[in-house]
Amino acid sequence: MNKQNIYWQLYQDDPILKPGFFSPILADPSFLFPENCPDGLWHLFAHNLFGVQEFLSEDGIQWKKRKTVLWNAMRPFLFFEEGTYYLYYEKYKFLHVLMSWFPYRKWKSRIEVRTSKDLKSWSSPQTVIQPKFPFHKDVKYGDSVSNPCLVKFGKKYRMYFSTSLVYIPDCGFCEPKHITVAESSSPLGPFSYFSDPILSPSEMDPFCNLAAGSLKVIEWKGRYLGFQNGIFWNPVRKESCSAILFLQSEDGLNFERINQTPILGPTGKGWKASHVYACDVKYSEAEKIFILYFNARNKAHWTQGKEAIGLFVGKVEESKTAPKKTTKQVQKKKASPKKKISSPKTKTGKSKRK
């Protein structure tokens, strides 16, 4: 039986996409490979303070803004099936994201979807998820459903999403408290809600003791991989942090960590000093690598921090169970050098790197 080892590495130390002049954040990226797009380009969607923006790239590294796709929306997620693109996102009231930093304003959001055949013109919005159960809501901070992620399970579709809110004092804003699931026979719903969370914060968890954050799930080699940005209090640095946790599941509901420590976390300095947040992940069969775009924050408090988007890649190495070696063979064996991780490719198939 083959065993898969995944080695994670930053593509580059600097962000590949920075926020614009009028917004201190560019966050929650979701992307499509060029082979799944009509124009043969990479497409990436992310939000700033005003809405969801679309970016285009020839190589997955150098990006140019195309346009603002949605206003008063955030945390986009792209799903593609049989020639139709589904753009899910968290919808909120006009300027509500700015006013939510003030403690007397309660948050209220829902998850909508729009569809397209060409990534240019989009349908009218349709609400697919709304706050329903008590764990979707917080008496003090408001009702929240966010961070959509749609995965196909046989003939069914599962929507992973975050619910409720937790106030993070050193940030001055709220983060998603729980993660749960809804299920449907169509990407457009209607969805049947699970009545309990599948992931929640725990005081005993060193990497998820404040909030569960978000979860992105992909199917890979007969199992389900999860990428969660747990939010936690760092007792050494005496501040809140967020880091990406690598999970796996046989049924897509009961997740356990592959790595007990985060695969990507804050560095204490630079553009990702404070928090490493939500991501989108896809596996490239041609390159045998995972492509993971994420956003990170340099300072905790909303009056000081900025958020940008980076690129993280995971190289897959498969090794068959080898026969037992003699003592002499083991003594002669030398450590093999680390392999370099491939880069996202251009249309010509050549690697391009800054």
Side-chain angles (χ1 to χ4, degrees), residues 63-236:
W63 295 89
K64 292 184 178 180
K65 180 184 172 182
R66 183 182 189 182
K67 62 180 179 179
T68 298
V69 181
L70 302 164
W71 298 97
N72 306 308
M74 62 195 298
R75 294 167 172 158
F77 179 79
L78 288 158
F79 180 78
F80 174 66
E81 184 180 55
E82 297 179 354
T84 300
Y85 301 93
Y86 300 83
L87 176 59
Y88 300 91
Y89 53 91
E90 180 181 4
K91 180 66 175 178
Y92 56 85
K93 294 180 181 178
F94 177 63
L95 292 182
H96 203 47
V97 71
L98 296 173
M99 301 303 293
S100 66
W101 286 331
F102 296 94
Y104 58 86
R105 293 298 296 265
K106 286 187 178 181
W107 183 257
K108 183 159 180 80
S109 65
R110 62 186 182 271
I111 294 175
E112 292 184 347
V113 63
R114 294 179 185 237
T115 63
S116 176
K117 293 291 186 180
D118 57 7
L119 290 174
K120 293 181 179 179
S121 58
W122 293 90
S123 69
S124 299
Q126 178 178 329
T127 299
V128 289
I129 300 288
Q130 296 191 74
K132 179 180 180 181
F133 290 109
F135 74 93
H136 295 172
K137 307 172 183 181
D138 184 89
V139 175
K140 187 174 182 180
Y141 301 116
D143 305 346
S144 174
V145 289
S146 62
N147 293 305
C149 171
L150 192 76
V151 180
K152 191 170 184 180
F153 281 73
K155 294 183 179 180
K156 296 283 188 178
Y157 298 86
R158 279 188 185 162
M159 175 75 77
Y160 296 88
F161 61 100
S162 305
T163 71
S164 194
L165 296 166
V166 174
Y167 184 71
I168 311 298
D170 66 332
C171 291
F173 52 79
C174 292
E175 292 286 6
K177 184 176 183 179
H178 305 289
I179 294 167
T180 188
V181 183
E183 203 167 61
S184 174
S185 57
S186 165
L188 298 176
F191 284 89
S192 299
Y193 297 66
F194 282 45
S195 58
D196 294 295
I198 60 169
L199 293 170
S200 294
S202 168
E203 291 182 359
M204 303 302 293
D205 190 335
F207 301 111
C208 188
N209 52 43
L210 294 180
S214 69
L215 177 70
K216 296 299 189 297
V217 176
I218 63 171
E219 190 277 331
W220 188 70
K221 296 188 180 295
R223 55 181 167 157
Y224 298 93
L225 303 182
F227 300 83
Q228 177 194 4
N229 72 292
I231 298 166
F232 58 97
W233 181 259
N234 187 322
V236 176

Side-chain angles (χ1 to χ4, degrees), residues 11-18 59-63 309 311 343-344 351-354:
Y11 177 79
Q12 62 185 32
D13 291 332
D14 297 324
I16 62 165
L17 260 173
K18 296 180 180 180
D59 58 8
I61 309 300
Q62 304 285 344
W63 295 89
I309 292 173
L311 174 59
S343 306
S351 295
K352 185 172 182 180
R353 188 166 183 148
K354 283 185 177 179

Side-chain angles (χ1 to χ4, degrees), residues 32-45 54-59 63-64 66-67 80 85 117-120 346-347:
L32 293 167
F33 284 133
E35 56 266 31
N36 293 327
C37 300
D39 54 12
L41 298 174
W42 296 68
H43 286 244
L44 183 146
F45 292 70
E54 182 184 12
F55 299 84
L56 302 179
S57 174
E58 294 185 354
D59 58 8
W63 295 89
K64 292 184 178 180
R66 183 182 189 182
K67 62 180 179 179
F80 174 66
Y85 301 93
K117 293 291 186 180
D118 57 7
L119 290 174
K120 293 181 179 179
T346 63
K347 289 183 180 179

